[in-house]
Amino acid sequence: MNNFTLHTPTKILFGQGQIAQLREQLPSDARVMITYGGGSVIRSGLLEQIRSELAGMTLFEFGGIEPNPAYETLMGAVELARAERVDFLLAVGGGSVLDGTKFIAAAAHYDLAKEPWHILETVGSEVRSAIPLGSVLTLPATGSEMNMGAVITRRSSGDKVHFFSPFVMPRFAVLDPVLTYTLPERQVANGVVDAFVHTVEQYLTYPVNAKVQDRFAEGLLLTLIEEGPKALAEPHNYEVRANIMWSATMALNGLIGAGVPQDWATHMLGHELTALHGLDHAQTLAAVLPALLQAKRKQKHAKLLQYAERVWGLRNGSEAERIDDAIAATRDFFERMGVKTRLRDYGLKDLGIDTLIGKLGEHGMTRLGEHSDIDLVQSQHIYEAAW
């Protein structure tokens, strides 16, 4: 196991009705801006419930944060936060709202002489402070409620890039599985796939004898495989939703990635597909991951065999056959969740390979993977295999 430092300060309030504890998490004199996405939080009554819980406090609101949150949209919130001297942000929604709110938090305090996109250009390394934030999660998927990362899209230039900063780590997160009951099937399926691939990116690399992290990761994968289809079939099953919600948080809160090599090539390749073609984040992951595992099966050989046995119960046949079957089982799971695993099945007329590879180079993604051995040529081959 490699050396690591792990700090996970986010307070989790998990379970039905925990929103009743919301007011206690906020400073009594805070100037709070509530951020949210579309109209679902309004239609469900959640926004009104939050207003009621925080009655008497100084509140502002900013809605319309879209999936793959856009820099252009978020800058409107940054301007509002600065103008109203907002000193606490409350993100109500899924990972996109949370990611957008993290950017708002950092950008509102950023050097006024610099365009806030500089935060993304420097991967957050120059962020020195941010507005404190918390969240009420409505869509389990990204784990953004308990980590310091965010991914932002700039529509005008076709960029989708990430940043990290300890200053945007949420102070708290309310996780009530009941709030996920009304999610459309597509969002439920995408969330399960996203959490699954988050786990795989930290697990399917090479062995470092990190037994605890490996078994935690395998437990998350098994839980998602068992509960994912049930969530589609039984949308009001509290226990199923609870296990999926907690799995998605645990998949990217730092725990299973501590002391182990990590990949993240699937995500980097996927981001460019979303930016160019507008595909859902999880759709890109479901298409890229099987192609990438085939391309890197030699480098990932030992962990792929472990994955085959411990996650999929594959013990018969040659090592090559077991690896083939494990990759096929992964693809089949995504398909059973209703997420297609071939890019051509999303109605794309052209892959736009030159643009994709050009953007990877522009964003410095020229040596990807746990061994930094996925160059632009191999990235092209993976894209083509995912077609």
Short mmCIF file of all heavy atoms in Angstrom, two decimals, residues 16 20 33 64 83 120 282 316 327 332:
data_model
loop_
_atom_site.label_atom_id
_atom_site.label_comp_id
_atom_site.label_asym_id
_atom_site.label_seq_id
_atom_site.Cartn_x
_atom_site.Cartn_y
_atom_site.Cartn_z
N GLN A 16 -33.99 9.50 6.14
CA GLN A 16 -35.26 10.17 5.91
C GLN A 16 -35.50 11.27 6.94
O GLN A 16 -35.30 11.08 8.13
CB GLN A 16 -36.41 9.16 5.95
CG GLN A 16 -37.76 9.74 5.61
CD GLN A 16 -38.82 8.67 5.46
OE1 GLN A 16 -38.56 7.48 5.64
NE2 GLN A 16 -40.05 9.08 5.12
N ALA A 20 -34.59 18.26 8.40
CA ALA A 20 -35.01 19.00 9.60
C ALA A 20 -33.82 19.52 10.40
O ALA A 20 -33.96 20.41 11.23
CB ALA A 20 -35.89 18.12 10.48
N MET A 33 -27.01 31.78 -0.18
CA MET A 33 -27.54 31.66 -1.54
C MET A 33 -27.81 30.19 -1.83
O MET A 33 -26.91 29.35 -1.74
CB MET A 33 -26.58 32.23 -2.59
CG MET A 33 -27.17 32.19 -4.00
SD MET A 33 -26.31 33.26 -5.17
CE MET A 33 -24.84 32.28 -5.51
N GLY A 64 -31.32 27.22 -12.40
CA GLY A 64 -30.97 27.06 -13.81
C GLY A 64 -29.60 26.49 -14.07
O GLY A 64 -29.12 26.52 -15.20
N ALA A 83 -22.29 40.65 -5.38
CA ALA A 83 -23.11 41.85 -5.18
C ALA A 83 -23.85 41.81 -3.85
O ALA A 83 -24.00 42.85 -3.18
CB ALA A 83 -24.11 41.99 -6.33
N LEU A 120 -9.92 26.93 -13.64
CA LEU A 120 -9.89 25.66 -14.37
C LEU A 120 -8.56 25.47 -15.09
O LEU A 120 -8.03 24.35 -15.15
CB LEU A 120 -11.05 25.61 -15.37
CG LEU A 120 -12.46 25.33 -14.85
CD1 LEU A 120 -12.52 24.04 -14.06
CD2 LEU A 120 -13.01 26.47 -14.02
N ALA A 282 -22.50 9.76 -17.87
CA ALA A 282 -22.48 8.30 -17.67
C ALA A 282 -22.52 7.56 -19.00
O ALA A 282 -21.97 6.45 -19.11
CB ALA A 282 -23.65 7.88 -16.79
N ASN A 316 -13.72 -20.13 -13.91
CA ASN A 316 -13.45 -21.19 -14.88
C ASN A 316 -12.92 -20.59 -16.18
O ASN A 316 -13.21 -19.45 -16.53
CB ASN A 316 -14.71 -22.00 -15.16
CG ASN A 316 -15.24 -22.68 -13.91
OD1 ASN A 316 -14.47 -23.17 -13.07
ND2 ASN A 316 -16.55 -22.72 -13.75
N ILE A 327 -15.08 -8.26 -18.77
CA ILE A 327 -15.37 -7.05 -19.54
C ILE A 327 -16.76 -7.14 -20.16
O ILE A 327 -17.53 -6.16 -20.16
CB ILE A 327 -14.30 -6.83 -20.62
CG1 ILE A 327 -12.93 -6.58 -19.96
CG2 ILE A 327 -14.67 -5.65 -21.53
CD1 ILE A 327 -11.76 -6.53 -20.93
N ASP A 332 -22.58 -5.75 -20.14
CA ASP A 332 -23.95 -6.23 -19.99
C ASP A 332 -24.67 -5.53 -18.84
O ASP A 332 -25.86 -5.21 -18.94
CB ASP A 332 -23.94 -7.75 -19.77
CG ASP A 332 -25.35 -8.31 -19.57
OD1 ASP A 332 -26.14 -8.26 -20.52
OD2 ASP A 332 -25.64 -8.79 -18.45
#
